[in-house]
Amino acid sequence: MVMKTCTIRLKLPEDSKNAILVKNLYLSCDPYMRSRMRKSEENYVEPFTPGSPITGGGVARVLDSGHPNFKKGDLVWGRTGWEEYSVITKPESVFKIQNTDVPLSYYTGILGMPGMTAYVGFYEICSPKQGDYVFISAASGAVGQLVGQFAKLLGCYVVGSAGTKEKVDLLKNKFGFDEAFNYKEEKDLEAALKRYFPSGIDIYFENVGGKMLDAVLVNMRLNGRIAVCGMISQYNLEQPEGVHNLFCLITKRVHMEGFLVFDYYHLYPKFLEMILPRIKEGKITYVEDVVEGLESAPAALIGLFSGRNVGKQVVVVARE
Ligand code: NDP
């Protein structure tokens, strides 16, 4: 039998001005990727191209560079492909990693897009202050676990909801939430929230939408704030569920604001300045759900929509 060998060309083609060739190390599974599987005018990121590798967040090492800002050996995080090696033609979509004394996978989560989302959503949108009553849904996930810890550092009373007992325990015992509950075990979400917030919620960090949003609206306090980060309970539905209690926005003078993290990346240096020392001092902790191998990525992504992940969902493609 004649064996054919194939050599991988680890150099950019000559005419690749401004592009970089990277080896992908860690890939991020994120709920917004679901919306890229359908064409919709409401999408804020372009749909995937059938027949081409999925693109998404990741951490990678530069193998060759035609761009003046990057050189061989640099580590980067940002938009890459679900493949072993990628040619990134628009390196403006990646950031050079300067701090490598933390786990590199953190740049898919706490030090990457989800971390920035928690930071922006809480500090820029919620106008938080000490003593506020804060509720977070999907609270043990990539974004939620950080929002809760930020709120605790500020001196707020913090309650989270999650979908399993294991996650509820994490919220209370690892992330320091004051209370947590399993929303799947509650027949009446309105009553559950009333139990944890007898005098109402000042801040709701919205990750799930649907029935939870309806239940929160009637439990909001006067002049409360709702940061609309995501609505994962709606992403797989053909028709989004109706929200019935929006009138509460008027009666309770609630400020409800949607935001997209991509509009706030200019704050990334300020965010790093805040979060890096807190990670190193152990004041903020982060839980990841790590699966090995590119072949594990599709199931890991699908798992976000049934709550299979415990913490930030990361896929390891290669470790160095
Ligand atoms: P997570 O790590 O929290 O993973 C998703 C979690 O959502 C699951 O683990 C599951 O947890 C929960 N979930 C899944 N389906 C449902 C459902 N039907 N009802 C209630 N909960 C459900 O994801 P992220 O932290 O990365 O993202 C959280 C939210 O933030 C998402 O809505 C996402 O779209 C949004 N987002 C928005 C950004 C922005 O710029 N606005 C940027 C990044 C994220 P459980 O077991 O607890 O049910």
Side-chain angles (χ1 to χ4, degrees):
M1 193 173 81
V2 181
M3 292 278 288
K4 278 194 179 166
T5 54
C6 129
T7 28
I8 298 171
R9 186 191 162 97
L10 293 177
K11 287 207 74 67
L12 284 166
E14 293 296 319
D15 57 349
S16 312
K17 198 164 172 285
N18 284 335
I20 57 175
L21 169 70
V22 300
K23 179 176 183 182
N24 291 312
L25 304 178
Y26 299 96
L27 297 176
S28 175
C29 295
D30 293 288
Y32 80 91
M33 297 172 87
R34 177 64 181 88
S35 60
R36 299 186 64 197
M37 294 176 196
R38 65 167 75 92
K39 281 200 179 119
S40 157
E41 283 174 11
E42 280 161 29
N43 277 357
Y44 52 87
V45 195
E46 74 285 1
F48 292 127
T49 310
S52 299
I54 280 181
T55 54
V59 174
R61 185 182 295 283
V62 176
L63 299 180
D64 192 15
S65 172
H67 193 287
N69 294 352
F70 297 92
K71 61 177 189 321
K72 187 177 173 186
D74 281 348
L75 288 160
V76 295
W77 74 269
R79 177 82 80 91
T80 187
W82 279 31
E83 54 194 343
E84 286 175 279
Y85 300 90
S86 298
V87 174
I88 299 176
T89 52
K90 291 185 187 143
E92 310 80 59
S93 66
V94 296
F95 295 79
K96 213 190 288 195
I97 294 177
Q98 312 284 1
N99 299 280
T100 52
D101 53 351
V102 286
L104 276 183
S105 56
Y106 274 16
Y107 288 91
T108 65
I110 182 169
L111 296 176
M113 186 277 280
M116 269 298 285
T117 304
Y119 175 76
V120 164
F122 185 62
Y123 293 109
E124 299 290 317
I125 310 291
C126 293
S127 311
K129 53 186 189 316
Q130 190 180 13
D132 275 345
Y133 293 159
V134 178
F135 176 57
I136 303 153
S137 52
S140 70
V143 176
Q145 58 174 298
L146 285 175
V147 177
Q149 292 181 77
F150 293 158
K152 281 311 302 173
L153 283 175
L154 190 63
C156 301
Y157 169 77
V158 183
V159 179
S161 63
T164 64
K165 179 178 181 312
E166 179 191 7
K167 293 181 182 183
V168 167
D169 289 345
L170 264 184
L171 293 176
K172 290 201 280 195
N173 303 325
K174 183 143 183 107
F175 304 131
F177 284 48
D178 296 286
E179 289 292 348
F181 65 91
N182 181 346
Y183 68 94
K184 291 181 180 165
E185 286 178 350
E186 300 289 344
K187 285 203 182 71
D188 182 344
L189 288 173
E190 254 181 68
L193 290 169
K194 187 95 197 147
R195 210 161 68 228
Y196 292 106
F197 297 97
S199 55
I201 300 167
D202 291 303
I203 290 176
Y204 173 44
F205 197 97
E206 164 71 298
N207 284 321
V208 305
K211 294 184 181 65
M212 186 62 92
L213 176 56
D214 251 338
V216 167
L217 282 166
V218 289
N219 277 286
M220 287 303 289
R221 256 179 152 179
L222 205 61
N223 299 123
R225 283 85 67 203
I226 301 179
V228 185
C229 175
M231 296 193 168
I232 194 168
S233 72
Q234 307 298 296
Y235 299 171
N236 278 331
L237 302 181
E238 284 297 323
Q239 282 297 323
E241 277 171 328
V243 178
H244 306 285
N245 296 326
L246 283 174
F247 199 73
C248 296
L249 295 178
I250 302 169
T251 55
K252 294 161 189 278
R253 289 77 152 174
V254 169
H255 180 98
M256 183 167 169
E257 182 176 347
F259 71 98
L260 272 179
V261 64
F262 309 117
D263 298 336
Y264 293 86
Y265 273 2
H266 57 282
L267 298 178
Y268 188 66
K270 199 173 148 207
F271 163 65
L272 277 189
E273 217 172 278
M274 182 282 256
I275 201 150
L276 279 170
R278 285 175 177 76
I279 295 174
K280 288 172 191 165
E281 291 159 12
K283 289 191 176 140
I284 287 191
T285 183
Y286 202 60
V287 170
E288 297 178 316
D289 188 326
V290 180
V291 296
E292 298 284 333
L294 197 51
E295 65 284 2
S296 311
L301 176 58
I302 292 167
L304 295 178
F305 301 91
S306 57
R308 199 211 57 83
N309 62 308
V310 181
K312 170 65 206 170
Q313 185 64 67
V314 185
V315 179
V316 184
V317 182
R319 290 192 187 272
E320 56 184 66

